[in-house]
Amino acid sequence: MPRQFVVQVTNQPGQMARLAEEMAAAGVDLRAIGGGGLGEVGHFIMTTADDDGARKVLDDGGWTFLEGESLLAEVDDRPGGMAVSRRLLVVRFAAARDRCLACSASCRSLVDRSSVRA
């Protein structure tokens, strides 16, 4: 299963660029990255093509981070699209998981969407 890294940073300009440059210098391909900030604290959530390489860059660079499983889901581009996909994931995986699933792989093949209302 793909891994995701959540990196905590000081909320200031240039942090994402610094991290991206360190990943590039190590030959780590970023597949997705996003982030946000509130007050003085910021964060990035990213997935890579090389989890071991990313982990090494983060460790060697002294970054504060957490690592965990990532589930990717494609959602319909319309109001309620994420709500429908979330319900589909819960229906499909409720018996196998006892925790909330973050969404991001196509839900179209999981169950019949016609039975789920937005």
Side-chain angles (χ1 to χ4, degrees):
M1 175 157 289
R3 306 293 289 173
Q4 72 178 10
F5 297 89
V6 180
V7 183
Q8 183 176 322
V9 297
T10 303
N11 189 9
Q12 62 185 22
Q15 294 283 50
M16 187 179 285
R18 185 177 136 226
L19 178 58
E21 289 168 1
E22 289 183 20
M23 292 289 175
V28 176
D29 181 22
L30 294 174
R31 290 191 171 167
I33 188 167
L38 183 60
E40 295 184 14
V41 179
H43 71 277
F44 307 127
I45 301 172
M46 64 180 190
T47 58
T48 72
D50 178 3
D51 294 339
D52 293 334
R55 188 177 310 104
K56 181 168 178 20
V57 168
L58 293 167
D59 280 334
D60 291 352
W63 296 89
T64 301
F65 71 96
L66 297 172
E67 177 182 350
E69 292 180 358
S70 176
L71 176 64
L72 305 175
E74 180 181 317
V75 300
D76 291 335
D77 186 12
R78 65 175 180 79
M82 183 64 206
V84 170
S85 294
R86 182 193 167 283
R87 286 187 210 118
L88 291 170
L89 287 170
V90 169
V91 167
R92 177 73 168 106
F93 294 107
R97 303 273 178 152
D98 61 351
R99 58 190 164 94
C100 179
L101 298 172
C103 293
S104 207
S106 177
C107 297
R108 287 181 175 81
S109 64
L110 296 179
V111 296
D112 178 10
R113 287 174 164 245
S114 64
S115 65
V116 180
R117 292 179 288 151

